[in-house]
Amino acid sequence: MKYSSLCYITRGDEYLLLHRIKKSDDENAGKWIGFGGKFEDRESPEDCVKREVYEETGLTLTEFSYRGIVTFVSDRWETEYMHLFLADGFTGELKECDEGVPEWIKKTDFAALPQWEGDRIFISLMESDCPFFSLKLEYIGEELTGAWLNGRPLTLPYNI
């Protein structure tokens, strides 16, 4: 079981995203995602997201909210519990990242970029008035084959 955090940083009508193009063995290769990574010993979800965002961007989060937990089940990778955050306050200067290229992207342009299909679901939930949620996403290869929100199945494809 893998435990991780993931944060989508916002600035007005933009997301700061990471285009994962630098590592050849990256399960997220070619995709646009938020910032985060695996928990270290004794970290809370909040500790992990603050550390990971700082390590990957050089930014210190000052305002962020814990929006939900996502359970990823895959035929290729270990099951992952990902703690999901949305941030709209930060300080510092953006730096280069060894995992990809960080870039500010208009929220309206994000949907057209390569990303995991399930990410579209949780980004929609995060940006809505949806309270804290639990989302389970099941994949075969890179195809989303099942999704459950708070224990109830979602109809696929899930249109946002």
Side-chain angles (χ1 to χ4, degrees):
M1 185 76 60
K2 181 166 103 176
Y3 298 89
S4 67
S5 66
L6 185 66
C7 185
Y8 283 81
I9 301 169
T10 65
R11 180 180 70 184
D13 65 346
E14 297 176 307
Y15 287 119
L16 180 60
L17 299 171
L18 188 61
H19 191 196
R20 300 288 293 248
I21 57 173
K22 290 191 175 180
K23 294 165 75 175
S24 60
D25 63 343
D26 187 351
E27 64 193 38
N28 296 300
K31 297 194 173 36
W32 292 80
I33 64 171
F35 296 87
K38 296 178 195 168
F39 279 40
E40 291 184 354
D41 187 40
R42 299 179 179 232
E43 281 188 324
S44 69
E46 296 82 3
D47 295 336
C48 180
V49 77
K50 288 189 292 185
R51 177 186 52 77
E52 285 285 348
V53 166
Y54 182 75
E55 288 176 1
E56 294 178 357
T57 68
L59 303 176
T60 300
L61 295 180
T62 58
E63 295 292 330
F64 61 96
S65 59
Y66 189 2
R67 299 292 290 124
I69 187 163
V70 180
T71 305
F72 284 100
V73 178
S74 167
D75 65 335
R76 291 187 186 169
W77 299 288
E78 179 180 17
T79 297
E80 179 176 355
Y81 288 139
M82 185 185 71
H83 301 262
L84 188 61
F85 293 84
L86 189 61
D88 61 3
F90 54 88
T91 60
E93 295 294 321
L94 189 59
K95 68 171 191 160
E96 287 189 32
C97 178
D98 63 358
E99 295 182 16
V101 178
E103 188 175 335
W104 288 103
I105 301 291
K106 293 252 185 236
K107 290 179 180 181
T108 54
D109 296 339
F110 185 29
L113 298 175
Q115 59 187 282
W116 292 103
E117 187 178 347
D119 291 15
R120 297 176 197 281
I121 298 171
F122 65 69
I123 288 167
S124 172
L125 293 168
M126 261 191 331
E127 289 285 356
S128 72
D129 289 332
C130 179
F132 188 89
F133 60 86
S134 173
L135 180 65
K136 181 179 179 184
L137 301 171
E138 199 167 89
Y139 285 89
I140 295 177
E142 293 195 13
E143 180 185 352
L144 181 64
T145 58
W148 296 261
L149 177 60
N150 298 326
R152 295 191 174 112
L154 294 175
T155 303
L156 296 176
Y158 182 77
N159 295 317
I160 300 166

